[in-house]
């Protein structure tokens, strides 16, 4: 170790004693101690994990077309507050209590499945784009499709626009559920009209967005909506290989008084079985029991199935990857290594794009669009800024505006930026306290300006690599 750090052995040992570690010259140090030492000496170390074992997050799905089987689509519901997301989730769920499944006790496990025309659909139970994008910011891609709920008596509202932009930034197909059509002042056509501004144009007006009129409260239109989801699923051909070790994502997890750590996970590839050894985030375990959303115990769970599992040693985080390994020893090994690399990546700074390092990313060919989120004091200045930014093009790189709006920079903006590798521009507005904190944590670049010309100039210079670094 001393040699690697270019230090004297005695110096290293002294430091170790100072850190409370008793060591001899030939002793092998564990990785934690090495990291600590390196920190003390101000040296950067990189923990190399043998390639064979580094499969956790870098797995490529290399299934043959024959191995891939149709799987249920995974759907998220988003929309403005009070437009009926929760009611819709409940309505869809109860629509489905048909013969065979009746009698089951509803379990809230972060997602549920319904069946229509002998096909299943999986719904994530946490409505809203914040939860969705927070998962995405952690690298988890769990959703195939978004339902945007718009109340027909209220129309498009700020969070409707946010939800649309979050879904678009994730590249997901959108179905619009026009809700509350039972209300006397419901005006579904006005909703359609308003949404054309966001490139959601119904088929009858020459577009390709599916609109479904529903009343979540009166449970009207539920079957239409489910059938439309199946239609979109058919077009997109969602598939996975069920015949391999399972991989998926933790949707939620908690410490249960009686059962210890429980995790609700979505299986995305392969089939999960009772007894499987696995890693979830930095935790490992062996599946003791699996329960589905109807409270039924399962022995196996295939792609797109949400299950609640017990048998973990610790509580993982929402959005953590989940993966089965051949045995428990291996799983434990990977979990240990992951907790080290995790800590290390927390120590290491910045993998997100900033204006200062934009040019490097462009030169390296890593970036073709500069993703931007714009917040301004009034809609007029936001529109003006958007117009000017859209005209910038430097060496094939363009500005892509993921989201814009009037008002302070919020945490939701920051999370979207983190999930989409974007920078945030504030025009005569500032981030609120929460946003500022999250931006620091997530290393999101926020640029505050008062003059449109300055914004344009800064972005152009950054694209050309001519920006004076900020100190
Ligand atoms: P969320 O904030 O988007 O989850 O909205 P909720 O599902 O909590 O619904 C907000 C309010 O709208 C509640 O009082 C619901 O009862 C009501 N609501 C939801 N859907 C409908 C509907 O289809 N018709 C009517 N009249 N009210 C509805």
């Amino acid at each position: 170790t001393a040699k690697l750090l270019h230090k004297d052995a005695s110096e290293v040992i002294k430091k170790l004693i100072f850190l409370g570690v008793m060591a001899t010259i030939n002793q092998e140090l564990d990785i934690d101690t090495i990291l600590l030492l390196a920190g003390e000496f101000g040296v950067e170390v990189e923990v190399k994990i043998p390639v064979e074992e580094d499969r956790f997050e870098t797995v490529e799905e290399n299934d043959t077309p024959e191995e891939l089987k149709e799987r249920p689509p995974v759907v998220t519901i988003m929309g403005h507050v009070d437009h009926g997301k929760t009611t819709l989730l409940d309505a869809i769920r109860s629509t489905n209590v048909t013969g065979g499944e009746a009698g089951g006790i509803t379990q809230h496990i972060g997602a549920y499945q319904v069946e229509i025309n002998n096909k299943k659909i999986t719904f994530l139970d946490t409505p809203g784009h914040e939860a969705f994008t927070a998962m995405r910011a952690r690298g988890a891609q769990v959703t195939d499709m978004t339902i945007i709920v718009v109340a027909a008596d209220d129309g498009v509202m700020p969070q409707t626009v946010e939800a649309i932009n979050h879904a678009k930034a994730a590249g997901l197909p959108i179905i619009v559920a026009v809700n509350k059509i039972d209300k006397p002042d419901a005006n579904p056509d006005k909703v359609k009209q308003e949404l054309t501004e966001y490139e959601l144009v119904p088929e009858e007006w020459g577009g390709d967005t599916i609109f479904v009129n529903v009343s979540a409260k009166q449970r009207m239109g539920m079957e239409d909506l489910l059938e439309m989801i199946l239609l979109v699923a058919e077009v997109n051909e969602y598939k996975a290989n069920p015949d391999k070790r399972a991989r998926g994502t933790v949707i939620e997890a908690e410490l249960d008084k009686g059962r210890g750590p429980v995790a609700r996970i979505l299986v995305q590839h392969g089939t999960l079985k009772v007894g499987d050894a696995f890693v979830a985030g930095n935790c490992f375990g062996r599946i003791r029991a699996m329960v589905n959303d109807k409270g039924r115990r399962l022995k196996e769970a295939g792609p797109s199935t949400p299950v609640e599992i017990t048998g973990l040693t610790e509580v993982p985080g929402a959005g953590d990857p989940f993966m089965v390994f051949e045995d428990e020893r291996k799983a434990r090994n990977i979990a240990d290594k992951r907790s080290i690399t995790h800590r290390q990546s927390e120590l290491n700074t910045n993998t997100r794009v900033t204006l200062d390092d934009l040019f490097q990313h462009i030169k390296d060919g890593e970036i073709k669009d500069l993703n931007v989120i714009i917040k301004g004091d009034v809609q007029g200045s936001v529109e003006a800024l958007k117009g000017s930014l859209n005209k910038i093009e430097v060496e094939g790189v363009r500005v892509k505006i993921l989201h814009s709006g009037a008002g302070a920079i919020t945490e939701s903006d920051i999370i979207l930026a983190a999930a989409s590798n974007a920078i945030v521009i504030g025009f005569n507005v500032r981030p609120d306290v929460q946003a500022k904190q999250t931006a620091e944590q997530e290393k999101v670049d926020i640029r505050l300006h008062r003059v449109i010309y300055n914004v344009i100039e800064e972005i152009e210079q950054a694209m050309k690599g001519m920006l004076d670094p900020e100190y």
Side-chain angles (χ1 to χ4, degrees):
T1 308
K3 245 189 231 150
L4 288 175
L5 290 169
H6 305 290
K7 300 278 169 196
D8 217 29
S10 62
E11 213 180 318
V12 171
I13 291 179
K14 237 190 269 165
K15 201 56 126 182
L16 281 172
I17 292 170
F18 174 72
L19 292 170
V21 182
M22 288 297 170
T24 60
I25 288 191
N26 296 319
Q27 188 182 335
E28 260 199 46
L29 300 175
D30 63 22
I31 295 177
D32 272 349
T33 315
I34 294 175
L35 282 176
L36 204 63
L37 257 184
E40 282 292 319
F41 285 123
V43 181
E44 262 191 48
V45 257
E46 194 183 335
V47 180
K48 286 232 164 80
I49 295 174
V51 181
E52 179 250 342
E53 298 197 326
D54 191 20
R55 301 175 299 159
F56 197 71
E57 266 145 318
T58 52
V59 212
E60 288 275 320
E61 301 305 324
N62 45 10
D63 308 297
T64 63
E66 299 82 61
E67 288 169 328
L68 290 173
K69 305 276 150 55
E70 193 180 316
R71 63 169 177 84
V74 181
V75 183
T76 305
I77 296 187
M78 302 180 188
H80 194 72
V81 63
D82 278 347
H83 279 198
K85 297 179 292 291
T86 313
T87 314
L88 185 60
L89 274 165
D90 290 346
I92 292 169
R93 189 173 185 139
S94 63
T95 303
N96 185 242
V97 186
T98 49
E101 296 283 9
I105 304 159
T106 297
Q107 301 280 315
H108 281 275
I109 63 163
Y112 64 78
Q113 275 192 331
V114 296
E115 199 171 314
I116 179 166
N117 307 341
N118 292 320
K119 288 190 188 277
K120 287 180 174 150
I121 303 172
T122 304
F123 285 88
L124 293 183
D125 218 348
T126 334
H129 52 272
E130 292 87 356
F132 164 80
T133 303
M135 292 254 252
R136 225 162 58 74
R138 309 206 48 211
Q141 304 283 359
V142 289
T143 312
D144 298 311
M145 204 187 299
T146 320
I147 310 286
I148 303 275
V149 182
V150 189
D153 61 336
D154 204 20
V156 172
M157 299 302 273
Q159 284 173 291
T160 315
V161 179
E162 268 188 31
I164 293 168
N165 290 335
H166 281 234
K168 279 189 182 168
L172 296 180
I174 291 173
I175 292 177
V176 180
V178 181
N179 190 29
K180 306 199 186 183
I181 51 154
D182 58 290
K183 285 200 154 184
D185 51 346
N187 190 348
D189 271 345
K190 185 165 158 262
V191 173
K192 284 184 184 166
Q193 182 64 52
E194 288 171 344
L195 283 174
T196 56
E197 212 178 298
Y198 304 95
E199 287 144 33
L200 298 177
V201 182
E203 281 165 331
E204 68 260 34
W205 296 354
D208 57 5
T209 306
I210 297 174
F211 281 71
V212 186
N213 287 344
V214 298
S215 165
K217 198 170 184 181
Q218 303 193 345
R219 321 234 141 136
M220 275 162 45
M222 294 304 116
E223 282 185 15
D224 278 354
L225 180 60
L226 296 179
E227 276 167 12
M228 289 306 154
I229 292 170
L230 288 181
L231 190 72
V232 174
E234 212 167 281
V235 173
N236 288 286
E237 298 187 41
Y238 302 118
K239 286 180 176 172
N241 176 2
D243 301 313
K244 58 181 184 182
R245 285 202 281 266
R247 289 205 307 113
T249 301
V250 176
I251 301 169
E252 24 175 87
E254 65 186 25
L255 192 61
D256 182 277
K257 277 197 199 96
R259 295 177 299 163
V262 294
R264 287 125 199 184
I265 62 170
L266 180 72
V267 179
Q268 294 173 288
H269 305 273
T271 296
L272 185 61
K273 302 183 178 105
V274 170
D276 276 350
F278 65 88
V279 175
N282 308 330
C283 322
F284 72 98
R286 179 181 284 281
I287 307 279
R288 202 186 309 142
M290 262 195 302
V291 178
N292 74 2
D293 56 300
K294 280 120 196 151
R296 206 163 282 159
R297 288 193 102 149
L298 303 182
K299 286 208 170 67
E300 292 192 351
S304 297
T305 313
V307 284
E308 183 178 83
I309 58 167
T310 51
L312 288 134
T313 47
E314 285 168 82
V315 182
D320 273 347
F322 172 95
M323 188 171 180
V324 169
F325 287 91
E326 53 264 48
D327 57 43
E328 204 164 325
R329 191 193 55 79
K330 181 94 177 195
R332 179 196 297 257
N333 218 337
I334 301 272
D336 283 351
K337 293 209 162 111
R338 272 184 58 78
S339 61
I340 291 157
T341 40
H342 179 70
R343 249 173 295 154
Q344 202 189 18
S345 67
E346 277 182 353
L347 294 173
N348 287 351
T349 41
N350 219 347
T351 49
R352 310 245 191 257
V353 67
T354 65
L355 279 191
D356 293 326
D357 63 14
L358 173 66
F359 187 63
Q360 193 57 44
H361 289 293
I362 294 174
K363 268 203 311 199
D364 296 347
E366 289 160 14
I367 284 192
K368 298 216 169 51
D369 293 315
L370 170 60
N371 290 338
V372 170
I373 292 164
I374 304 173
K375 290 309 270 295
D377 49 348
V378 288
Q379 195 59 38
S381 53
V382 172
E383 290 304 324
L385 193 51
K386 267 168 77 176
S388 310
L389 285 175
N390 272 328
K391 286 193 206 113
I392 299 181
E393 181 169 349
V394 177
E395 316 218 343
V397 180
R398 304 201 39 159
V399 175
K400 189 169 162 194
I401 296 157
L402 296 185
H403 178 63
S404 64
I409 298 166
T410 64
E411 191 180 21
S412 164
D413 298 326
I414 302 297
I415 294 171
L416 178 60
S420 315
N421 210 12
I423 65 156
V424 181
I425 297 172
F427 187 73
N428 285 326
V429 293
R430 325 198 103 257
D432 62 30
V433 178
Q434 195 59 47
K436 210 167 167 183
Q437 255 174 28
T438 310
E440 266 161 32
Q441 247 167 45
E442 298 284 336
K443 310 267 183 289
V444 168
D445 192 5
I446 302 180
R447 299 281 168 153
L448 303 175
H449 285 282
R450 299 190 163 277
V451 183
I452 290 191
Y453 173 78
N454 291 348
V455 184
I456 310 302
E457 190 179 59
E458 184 177 62
I459 301 260
E460 256 177 1
Q461 300 214 321
M463 286 167 130
K464 290 178 187 153
M466 286 162 51
L467 198 67
D468 289 330
E470 248 187 59
Y471 293 108

